[in-house]
Amino acid sequence: MNMPAQALGSAAEPDGLEDRLQRFATIWSRAVFPVTATSLTRPEIERHLLPLARDLSDALHARPFDPAPAYRVGAALVAAHCTDPDALSRSLGVVDSYLVLYCGGGGEGAAAEELRARCARLQHALAAGFAQALRERTLAEQEAIARSALVARTFAEQALHATEARFRAVFEGAALGIGIADLEGNILEVNGALTRMFGGLEHHVRGRKVSEWVHPEDAPQVWKLYGELVRGERDHFQVEKAFYRGDGTVLWTNLTVSLLRDADGHPQYQLALMEDTTERRLLNLRLRYEATHDALTGLPNRTLFFERLDKVLSSGDGVRFGLCYLDLDGFKAINDSLGHAAGDRLLVEVADRLQGVATRPGEMVARLGGDEFVALTTGTDTEQQADELAHRILGALATPVRLDGRELTVRGSVGIVEGPAGERGPAEVLRSADITMYRAKAAGGNRFERADPEADARAITRHGLTTALPAALDRGEFFIEYQPLVHLDDGSVHGAEALVRWCHPQHGVLGPDRFIPLAEHTGLIVPLGRWVLQEAARQARFWNRNHADGGPLRINVNLSPTQLHHPNLVADTVDVLERSGLDPGALCLEVTESALIGADEDLLKPLRQLAEMGVDIALDDFGTGYSNLANLRRLPVSVLKLDRSFTQSMQQHPVDPVDLKIVEGIVSLAHSLELTVTVEGVETGAQAEQLRELGCDTAQGWYYARPGAPDRIHSLVLADAV
């Protein structure tokens, strides 16, 4: 619909919302007036449309957005006798062209896109409200006419012809199926629309009794309502009902049955109006299927599986369940190497195989997403059934799959959860199965594991700690304890190792073994490690300012493998030293032996740069990494820290001479390479003396002090000075 140029241009004028609503209503009235069957003038229609325009404007900007007002606007158009189809199409055109223009507020970008999207939904709602109101009006008019026509037949004989003609015109021309029966249920009259609904043969409908139209899917209240109606206890009822056609197919209808009374108010006939909803129902079933089944494999999806699982878990009476959670091993490598199309074909093949093995009563298979599938079994002995189902699943995957001329081996990891219904919800069961599946994958894959409540609890705790790590660092929940490093020759304090702890609000103080691997996995180890380095350097600087006598106290800080690979390792360390004022020679960075096995020059380069600055590099846990001793010459390390396994062997009496020779040899080699040797885990004076005799330089362990607050190190230093 084209409007004058001045109407379009006026939207840019800086006038108020009421003026813009008035112009919108004017345009709307000019559009619908020519097709409106009413005695109102166009200005009167405009005044009627103005509040409707205001409703649309308010709905356009409402927070939260709700298209319901547009639905009521559509119904209001029908109430105003704007029932011509052109009135609806013209109204939708006006809303589409001018609602955002006049009432949008001049939004741009994303805001304008949102307003256009809202406008589209308002148009849909307006059309739905118009159609529903028009349908109800038509249905009411047709029922009223049919009722009037039928009652009129009982009046005076002289008016019979006119009444019959009027009745037939409505009866035969109605789009709805109409049937008339007596109170005994004998069908007396049917119109053409109803005959066509039942297959086109009138004798399949006329002459039958209503009671013959019982269908297995009838709701229980259908025939209860029917009995009340024919007894005169109610005047009408409306239900959804299915019927069998003559060829055995099913007809679904919206059925409205009304009671017709005589002049004295006594029940006389029953009038049925039927709307064929078969296609609509089939469409809804199709939509329901698509919403509950996986588009790629055709298996039930997560939604349908949760419905089934919830139904099983909600049942009682001794019902048990077994759930197998399957994840394919190495599926990402197939997607990355062969492409997602090949991966999809593989998933389809896996789905077909799973369907082929989960065929026993009470079993179903579903795809949760990606390469994750679940199989459910129910019964009285699900412990054995679940194990058998897992064996069948892994057996089905054992046969290689051929894709594009390649033969692919498919493996999977399965987590099994089994138990009685009624004790857990679907989310809890699926979480336990997921956790168990990852245990199977961690054990090498191509196997199944059964759920273990204790393992579940540990996994849940790990997950909770993982998610809490970032906020814990921001909230300052981490702190450092220090364990002294002692000279073996005179027992004086040489320095201390910084050991990070987490003061968790629920779990108390956690050692690094509880959260460092999680920080490594999430990448938080880099900011956490920097924080530890900052705090340790600041503390060491404080010690050295108050320890004027003797050499500087050294602080040992552990570096994780992730930190070693971080490109800012050198820059961050230099920044920390400069900010704290700590001399580089007072800092020792500890790197585990396993992290440097087979290290290339790219990894060693930052360590060499730090060593050239004067920072000591210690090879931690030496003796556990099975490294070639000759490699020590190429590593930029100045300290070897023997693993505590060496000191533990010295707690035996007598000490194995072979162990002594090994330690003596390592110490001799280290000294020949100008490396100092530190021993961990010293717990007795005898151990300390033995290690001193073997030539070890420094030691740490509970014999000297447990890790503690920084003031304990200061006290030990003062005691040495005395």
Side-chain angles (χ1 to χ4, degrees), residues 600-621:
D600 55 20
E601 285 302 315
D602 289 338
L603 181 61
L604 296 178
K605 181 178 179 180
L607 294 180
R608 293 190 193 282
Q609 291 176 329
L610 292 171
E612 290 169 358
M613 292 167 44
V615 176
D616 281 326
I617 308 297
L619 195 60
D620 195 13
D621 297 333

Side-chain angles (χ1 to χ4, degrees), residues 717-722:
V717 172
L718 293 178
D720 290 343
V722 175

Side-chain angles (χ1 to χ4, degrees), residues 389-406:
L389 181 57
H391 280 296
R392 280 183 273 145
I393 289 173
L394 295 178
L397 299 179
T399 304
V401 177
R402 294 194 62 82
L403 284 179
D404 300 331
R406 293 182 174 89

Side-chain angles (χ1 to χ4, degrees), residues 186-508:
N186 300 304
I187 300 174
L188 306 176
E189 294 284 348
V190 293
N191 70 347
L194 190 143
T195 301
R196 289 190 294 274
M197 289 181 190
F198 280 86
L201 299 177
E202 187 173 334
H203 67 273
H204 285 167
V205 184
R206 188 194 295 271
R208 297 184 63 181
K209 293 184 72 68
V210 173
S211 58
E212 298 176 16
W213 276 339
V214 175
H215 191 275
E217 296 194 40
D218 286 342
Q221 71 269 23
V222 170
W223 294 101
K224 176 178 177 293
L225 295 174
Y226 176 76
E228 293 174 355
L229 182 131
V230 297
R231 291 194 300 270
E233 298 171 4
R234 64 168 52 244
D235 286 330
H236 65 274
F237 67 87
Q238 186 174 8
V239 294
E240 184 180 31
K241 179 166 171 32
F243 297 88
Y244 282 119
R245 296 189 180 99
D247 59 0
T249 58
V250 177
L251 165 71
W252 281 93
T253 69
N254 276 334
L255 172 66
T256 301
V257 183
S258 300
L259 181 66
L260 303 180
R261 301 176 183 269
D262 60 18
D264 297 326
H266 299 126
Q268 191 171 20
Y269 298 103
Q270 48 181 313
L271 172 70
L273 300 179
M274 295 185 187
E275 179 189 10
D276 187 348
T277 62
T278 306
E279 291 187 4
R280 186 192 313 165
R281 183 177 179 85
L282 292 176
L283 176 60
N284 289 337
L285 291 175
R286 180 62 186 176
L287 293 176
R288 164 69 179 169
Y289 179 86
E290 292 177 353
T292 56
H293 286 75
D294 177 52
L296 176 65
T297 64
L299 290 178
N301 63 9
R302 178 184 291 269
T303 299
L304 184 55
F305 177 75
F306 260 83
E307 290 178 4
R308 173 69 183 278
L309 181 60
D310 183 57
K311 184 177 180 180
V312 170
L313 296 179
S314 299
S315 60
D317 301 328
V319 174
R320 298 182 67 89
F321 74 94
L323 187 148
C324 296
Y325 193 117
L326 167 69
D327 184 90
L328 301 184
D329 298 334
F331 179 72
K332 183 178 183 300
I334 295 176
N335 267 343
D336 293 344
S337 59
L338 301 182
H340 287 276
D344 287 347
R345 293 200 299 275
L346 176 63
L347 291 175
V348 171
E349 175 64 25
V350 170
D352 290 342
R353 294 187 181 186
L354 295 180
Q355 279 186 305
V357 298
T359 58
R360 298 180 183 178
E363 294 181 347
M364 75 168 294
V365 176
R367 182 189 178 202
L368 297 185
D371 60 333
E372 296 179 337
F373 299 84
V374 284
L376 179 67
T377 182
T378 57
T380 57
D381 185 19
T382 51
E383 183 173 359
Q384 180 179 354
Q385 293 171 0
D387 287 355
E388 291 178 354
L389 181 57
H391 280 296
R392 280 183 273 145
I393 289 173
L394 295 178
L397 299 179
T399 304
V401 177
R402 294 194 62 82
L403 284 179
D404 300 331
R406 293 182 174 89
E407 194 173 78
L408 302 179
T409 300
V410 183
R411 293 158 47 95
S413 300
V414 179
I416 299 177
V417 176
E418 185 276 334
E423 294 184 354
R424 291 174 285 183
E428 183 181 357
V429 168
L430 205 63
R431 179 178 62 180
S432 178
D434 190 18
I435 293 171
T436 308
M437 177 272 294
Y438 276 107
R439 280 202 291 115
K441 193 176 289 287
N446 198 35
R447 56 185 295 148
F448 67 82
E449 293 283 346
R450 299 184 63 85
D452 179 358
E454 294 183 0
D456 287 359
R458 289 193 297 270
I460 293 170
T461 300
R462 284 196 303 272
H463 176 73
L465 294 177
T466 301
T467 55
L469 270 171
L473 185 58
D474 294 337
R475 289 195 296 261
E477 294 177 4
F478 293 97
F479 67 97
I480 299 176
E481 290 186 332
Y482 298 88
Q483 185 171 39
L485 293 164
V486 177
H487 284 292
L488 281 170
D489 55 357
D490 60 6
S492 62
V493 176
H494 172 66
E497 180 179 0
L499 301 170
V500 64
R501 306 286 189 258
W502 182 3
C503 186
H504 193 279
Q506 284 80 40
H507 301 290

